[in-house]
Amino acid sequence: MSAADRLTDGLYGLGWSTVKKLPEPVAARLGRTVADIAWKRRGKGVERLEANYARVVPDATPERLAELSRAGMRSYLRYWMESFRLPAWSPERVRTGFDPKGAHHLTDGLAAGKGVILALPHLANWDLAGAWVTTSLGIPFTTVAERLKPETLYDRFVAYREGLGMEVLPHSGASAFGTLARRLRDGGLVCLVADRDLSASGVEVDFFGERARMPAGPALLAQQTGAQLLPVTLWYDESPVMRGKVHPPVEVPQAGTRTEKTAVMTQALADAFATGIADHPEDWHMLQRLWLADLDPAKGPA
């Protein structure tokens, strides 16, 4: 392991071991302080975040974009402070930490016995939403995680999410899709962050007036297994409680090839994501390139 990898792994380990012991107001202030320092340094991540917000809020002035990127970094660090502390939260704190509307779409879908796929963008804290599902509803679920470097850091994330009641599969594993399909056929729940394609087989969608690529997996799983596909959007307000919305199911089109159906369904997901992102752009933690116009074709996927 390189020195840089050891440092990265050590910093995350320090976060999980130390931040979770801090009083909540202290952790919140620490997150805002770190966010403001990062924002003032204007690194590549902050510049990319601001450029992405320019697509979401096309009439924003440079001053407004700067305000959004500062709020976005604070939201991003709130996600990290919460995530470092989640393993130490009591079940009651988890249950009261998230207030989703439309959760009946999830419970009704599972009651039908055909499985449910929740698809989310990188909004607010998807880990907290997952912990709420396993704690408040008592429903386990399966998800996938991008393989991180160093491998020890990936192992930390897997252990963290498994500790919250999630089954975690590696994104790069060839068997992940088959395992997800089996869980759904058994009437289970699958949760996928689905606004950024990590493969070479994503689906092109119209996203805030430009072309982007999003993963085909959620739509393909719904077609193959008969599971319901539910978009979910999340956001923060000024309270300690995260808000959310479970949107109505994305239906499988009656006609068309599998490719055509997948394109229609993925566009429907993108449209649902766009409504949540447009309403709360500062809570969209997209510090990477997303739109095709920003990607170097020679480098493949985003």
Side-chain angles (χ1 to χ4, degrees):
M1 186 189 301
S2 69
D5 285 346
R6 285 196 298 272
L7 176 61
T8 299
D9 182 61
L11 287 173
Y12 279 99
L14 182 65
W16 269 301
S17 64
T18 303
V19 173
K20 70 179 180 182
K21 299 176 183 177
L22 297 176
E24 196 156 333
V26 175
R29 287 197 299 272
L30 175 62
R32 289 193 296 271
T33 300
V34 173
D36 288 349
I37 291 172
W39 177 76
K40 288 176 182 177
R41 288 181 175 175
R42 301 289 299 173
K44 290 183 179 179
V46 173
E47 291 182 350
R48 174 48 48 194
L49 183 66
E50 208 164 282
N52 289 339
Y53 287 159
R55 255 75 172 235
V56 175
V57 190
D59 58 347
T61 63
E63 293 76 17
R64 172 59 177 151
L65 287 176
E67 291 174 0
L68 272 177
S69 65
R70 183 179 188 183
M73 290 304 295
R74 286 188 168 193
S75 176
Y76 186 46
L77 264 295
R78 177 174 171 175
Y79 160 78
W80 278 112
M81 292 297 110
E82 288 179 348
S83 295
F84 287 143
R85 292 173 52 77
L86 262 176
W89 280 15
S90 68
E92 181 63 20
R93 178 67 182 89
V94 173
R95 283 192 289 267
T96 59
F98 181 39
D99 178 29
K101 307 301 182 186
H104 67 278
H105 291 301
L106 167 59
T107 53
D108 291 350
L110 290 172
K114 292 186 177 180
V116 170
I117 306 157
L118 297 180
L120 308 87
H122 286 80
L123 274 169
N125 191 339
W126 46 96
D127 286 331
L128 173 54
W132 183 89
V133 168
T134 60
T135 302
S136 186
L137 301 183
I139 299 170
F141 66 87
T142 304
T143 187
V144 297
E146 179 183 359
R147 278 205 175 276
L148 303 172
K149 292 183 179 180
E151 189 74 16
T152 51
L153 179 57
Y154 171 77
D155 292 340
R156 285 187 190 274
F157 272 94
V158 170
Y160 155 64
R161 289 181 170 130
E162 287 179 342
L164 299 176
M166 311 175 193
E167 178 188 22
V168 183
L169 307 175
H171 183 275
S172 58
S175 63
F177 187 91
T179 302
L180 295 174
R182 286 194 296 274
R183 300 292 182 268
L184 293 168
R185 290 193 185 98
D186 290 339
L189 175 63
V190 164
C191 299
L192 301 170
V193 179
D195 58 343
R196 178 169 168 253
D197 179 45
L198 294 174
S199 71
S201 57
V203 177
E204 283 196 22
V205 295
D206 182 80
F207 197 52
F208 291 100
E210 291 192 47
R211 303 300 287 175
R213 195 163 51 228
M214 294 187 180
L220 289 171
L221 283 166
Q223 292 175 65
Q224 186 164 315
T225 66
Q228 281 199 348
L229 176 55
L230 303 176
V232 179
T233 51
L234 310 170
W235 66 93
Y236 290 128
D237 57 20
E238 296 304 315
S239 78
V241 179
M242 183 176 72
R243 313 297 173 177
K245 178 181 178 179
V246 182
H247 296 250
V250 172
E251 302 292 343
V252 178
Q254 294 289 328
T257 64
R258 185 174 72 164
T259 299
E260 290 167 343
K261 292 178 180 180
T262 300
V264 171
M265 296 172 72
T266 306
Q267 182 64 61
L269 279 182
D271 292 342
F273 294 166
T275 63
I277 294 167
D279 288 342
H280 306 278
E282 68 278 5
D283 292 324
W284 189 41
H285 308 149
M286 186 55 65
L287 281 73
Q288 298 84 19
R289 298 177 187 273
L290 180 73
W291 281 272
L292 299 186
D294 292 335
L295 298 175
D296 179 357
K299 295 181 180 179

